[in-house]
């Protein structure tokens, strides 16, 4: 069901995962990342209690084997099951190397908002806050703009933040940003994107430090 | 004195109006569907339900919600059932939202004689409003109190007749911690075996936590919830 | 190695255990209690991580299967192993019905001292404090007097207390006391003991409320 | 990148003078005797050792104590080794005594991102001196901070090559919690198997906690500690 934009973001994010590492994928675009991983030493953790998540074909689906998005998954050789308190102990305790998460908004210091919208009732938070405080590295995958065309990368979030923790990297269909000392740095343009387009669609202040091999196509 | 229970009615003997009840499961996965069904048939109300979700629309705890038997929900992700939001807007239900890690840790604390604890999760967010903040080794934490219940309704895979439990895949989730944190703990299971049939090394919930065991008759399948037996 | 006095105390304590119940036995006299139990529904818990402790004959001893006193034990059918944090979660969380413990001293309100001696370095506490705060019922088994002949049942403990928790029952070779509203009540004389002897060897104030069948032999 | 370690020297590569080291075991039962032996051969000192006991007289951590490599011991029952008291009286070692439940809970907290917690254990005793007291729901508790270490040396029964661990009987004790609470975690085991040979439901320590695996050569038997291999 995922569209081309989502797939391009997910496949770019996959390049950031080099095993051995333990990775937790959020709902949405992050979930797509798994299919771009060949590395046998990238181990997927899901907070509902499984280390060693893998794909499952329809015929082998088990109603009691799902990921945090309640989608059917499989288990790898060497997988293990544990309870919710143990699972979040792993997350908060710093035992998950990377969390890849979606956002509703993020600010120019690297704080994100991905759990609540003002004016609507706050009905769910799930594991988002735990992953943000606990994962060693947080990578955000998101479309650059909201459905109404407004930038998701803002000077300040208008939605409630998920954590005071600063994320490490943001990947959109237009660009890759790293967060350094609470400042966004554009390090890569996605195929077909231009710096002008990124500037136009980004409210947040960011610096530009394109890696060499992106300089020609980008500017 | 046997822990084996004949049916849902017997299993819920100790549930009273106004009780706080923990219900295992992550959505319908690992939820004690047979016991929830019995709860919908029992004449009680004003319940406080501690569960990650309040079921799905018209399923699991969602039925109990529709019956207006729930006074308050404590959980992490009510979004999975749109009816919860509607009931909340109509003022029919109170909600307490906790990060999922805080929910599970507070329940564990309640079961382990811990009065409360400090977590980093939620610091500086709306969910930390009015919560005590404390700096420990240069990092900010917030205080979270332990959670306990009168009754815990949980789902396991196999029980032996003593009450030892093992779980099945991701249907484990909140069940083992809830098994520790209520005055009365009732487990619904797929299979009941003799003591010694479960390996002492793989028992997840030792029998001292479990008060009653019921064979499940509502089973989650790929085709939805079906009734057996 | 246990002497007659210890055995008589242990066998009397065993009468207090009616299954189904979960019992934790301390080191010394309490450990002897197990052999006087026939009830299959009395389950023994040991804080180093086993529910379902039983005797083991010399031939089946396993160096990695011991009780909290590091003595070899066996496991019953339906036993389970768990880690130290889980084990003390059971204890503190109120999941152990009865703890039977020894004491160095106890006071007349029912507080005990069983872990440290003033003037000596405080070198060990083990699980004593956890058992006292967590067990639903605490039964003390102890010789009535210390080696120097002084009473162990004192007006006030001179040794550091183990907990502010009041114990429920005290069993010595001379008498059985219940603790009611922070007062000791003599409820039973042990075979051969007289009330005068108990009075003489007890510094603590206690009331007497002998059960009918002990009245003749006692007074 | 394999987690399999060739010998004790390789296993202790990251241990430095001044480090805090957790060591599993209840006395010698479940203690990583091979790794402790390697530690006695390594030129480090001023160690803080977190372990229920400091071994027995001249055995296990008792050897390390004799070498005066231990600056401080944090545990619950030093009485099991008379040498500890002697070293303490001579001012050679500092000691921090915690109730056994507090020791294990503080280590669990350290591994689970909990900053500290409130326990009933110890309230009103000498071990609560100078500890913060707090009333929660009408009961008194004391604050205990989480404990972490630079390195944890633990003992398990079987490991798979990924680092998943299962334990053996009461040799489990402190090992699974220590596995969660150190920057570097080294497990010594009796047997190393392939992924898939341990059941996903019975793995006690998932591999994300474990950095290195060593085959044990010092084994506790009914006749005492013997050396294999």
């Amino acid at each position: 069901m995922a569209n081309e934009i989502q797939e391009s973001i997910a496949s770019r994010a996959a390049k950031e995962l080099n095993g051995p590492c333990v990775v937790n994928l959020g709902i949405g675009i992050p979930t797509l990342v798994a299919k771009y991983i060949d590395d046998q030493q990238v181990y997927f953790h899901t907070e509902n209690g499984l280390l060693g998540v893998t794909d499952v074909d329809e015929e082998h689906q088990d109603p009691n084997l799902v990921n945090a998005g309640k989608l059917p998954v499989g288990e790898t050789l060497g997988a293990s099951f544990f309870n919710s308190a143990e699972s979040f102990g792993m997350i908060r305790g710093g035992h998950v190397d990377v969390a890849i998460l979606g956002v509703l908004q993020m600010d120019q210091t690297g704080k994100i908002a991905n759990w609540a919208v003002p004016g609507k009732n706050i009905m769910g938070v799930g594991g988002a806050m735990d992953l943000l405080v606990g994962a060693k590295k947080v990578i955000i995958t998101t479309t650059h703009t909201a459905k109404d065309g407004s930038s998701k990368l803002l000077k300040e979030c208008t939605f409630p933040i998920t954590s005071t923790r600063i994320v490490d990297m943001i990947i959109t269909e237009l660009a890759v940003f790293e967060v350094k000392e609470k400042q966004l740095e554009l390090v890569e343009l996605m195929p077909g994107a231009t710096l002008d387009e990124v500037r136009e669609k980004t409210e947040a202040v960011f610096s530009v430090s394109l890696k060499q091999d992106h300089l020609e196509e980008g500017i | 004195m046997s822990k084996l229970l004949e049916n849902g009615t017997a299993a819920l003997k100790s549930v009273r109006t106004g009780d706080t009840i923990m219900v295992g499961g992550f959505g319908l996965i690992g939820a004690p569907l047979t016991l929830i069904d019995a709860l919908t048939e029992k004449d009680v109300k004003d319940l406080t339900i501690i569960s990650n979700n309040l079921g799905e629309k018209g399923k699991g705890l969602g039925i109990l919600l529709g019956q207006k038997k729930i006074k308050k929900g404590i959980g992490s992700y009510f979004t999975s059932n749109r009816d919860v939001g509607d009931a909340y807007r109509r003022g029919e239900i109170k909600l307490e939202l906790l990060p999922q890690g805080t929910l599970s840790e507070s329940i564990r604390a309640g079961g382990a004689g811990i009065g409360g604890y400090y977590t980093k999760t939620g610091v500086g967010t709306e969910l930390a409003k009015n919560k005590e903040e404390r700096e420990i080794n240069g990092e900010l934490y917030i205080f979270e109190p332990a959670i306990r219940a009168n009754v815990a309704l949980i789902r396991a895979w196999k029980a032996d007749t003593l009450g030892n439990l093992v779980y099945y895949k991701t249907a484990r989730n909140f069940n083992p911690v809830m098994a520790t944190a209520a005055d009365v703990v009732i487990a619904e299971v797929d299979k009941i075996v003799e003591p010694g049939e479960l390996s002492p090394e793989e028992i997840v919930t030792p029998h001292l936590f479990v008060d009653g065991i019921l064979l499940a008759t509502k089973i989650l399948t790929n085709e939805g919830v079906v009734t057996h037996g």
Side-chain angles (χ1 to χ4, degrees), chain A residues 66-200:
Chain A
V66 300
N67 65 15
K70 297 192 187 106
L71 299 173
V73 295
E75 59 188 273
T76 58
L77 273 189
S80 55
F81 295 100
F82 30 83
N83 73 44
S84 300
E86 290 169 326
S87 187
F88 282 94
M90 292 173 190
I91 291 170
R92 271 192 323 261
H95 305 287
V96 170
D97 297 304
V98 185
I100 303 186
L101 302 171
V103 291
L104 297 169
Q105 297 181 335
M106 58 172 298
D107 75 14
Q108 61 192 23
T109 71
K111 286 203 293 285
I112 70 159
N114 75 348
W115 70 286
V117 176
K120 294 195 185 179
N121 297 314
I122 292 179
M123 301 299 293
V125 59
M129 291 187 177
D130 300 286
L131 283 160
L132 268 163
V133 300
K136 285 186 205 153
K137 183 175 184 178
V138 176
I139 298 174
I140 300 303
T141 57
T142 179
T143 55
H144 207 92
T145 51
K147 279 180 192 158
D148 65 2
S150 64
S151 181
K152 284 189 175 182
L153 283 70
L154 303 170
K155 288 193 175 7
E156 275 186 57
C157 293
T158 57
F159 295 178
I161 58 166
T162 308
S163 172
T164 55
R165 189 246 171 94
I166 302 299
V167 303
D168 298 276
M169 180 177 260
I170 305 104
I171 300 172
T172 77
E173 74 278 21
L174 299 181
V176 178
F177 299 85
E178 288 178 5
V179 187
K180 289 178 181 162
E181 294 176 2
K182 298 197 183 179
Q183 295 190 328
L184 303 191
E185 184 173 290
L186 174 71
V187 294
E188 196 178 314
L189 288 166
M190 292 287 277
T194 65
L195 191 50
D196 280 347
E197 187 183 3
V198 175
R199 285 201 208 276
E200 187 190 322

Side-chain angles (χ1 to χ4, degrees), chain A residues 27 46-50 58-70 72-73 75 81-86 88-89 92-93 115-116 120-131 133-134 159-164, chain B residues 26-30 52-53 56 75-81 84-86 88-89 95 97-102 104-105 108 117 119-127 168-177 204 220-222:
Chain A
I27 297 172
T46 183
E47 62 263 36
N48 52 322
L50 167 59
E58 208 167 330
E59 164 183 22
H60 291 95
Q61 285 178 11
D62 183 326
N64 287 306
L65 181 47
V66 300
N67 65 15
K70 297 192 187 106
V73 295
E75 59 188 273
F81 295 100
F82 30 83
N83 73 44
S84 300
E86 290 169 326
F88 282 94
R92 271 192 323 261
W115 70 286
K120 294 195 185 179
N121 297 314
I122 292 179
M123 301 299 293
V125 59
M129 291 187 177
D130 300 286
L131 283 160
V133 300
F159 295 178
I161 58 166
T162 308
S163 172
T164 55
Chain B
F26 184 78
L28 299 183
I29 297 103
N52 191 54
N53 325 81
E56 299 180 7
S76 95
Y77 202 73
F78 300 119
T79 326
S80 60
N81 183 355
V84 179
D86 294 339
Y88 182 73
R89 270 184 294 277
L95 295 176
L97 191 69
L98 294 171
Q100 201 171 131
T102 300
S104 54
E105 185 69 13
R108 182 200 171 272
Y117 63 94
T119 179
K120 277 182 280 191
T121 301
V123 168
T125 72
E126 282 198 14
L127 293 190
Y168 182 81
K169 300 190 189 283
T170 53
R172 187 181 303 202
N173 57 64
F174 285 87
N175 290 297
V177 281
V204 173
L220 183 66
T221 71
N222 282 325

Side-chain angles (χ1 to χ4, degrees), chain A residues 24-38:
Chain A
N24 185 297
L25 301 178
I27 297 172
I29 299 175
T31 303
L32 303 174
V33 173
K35 67 178 175 188
Y36 295 100
I37 302 290
D38 285 327

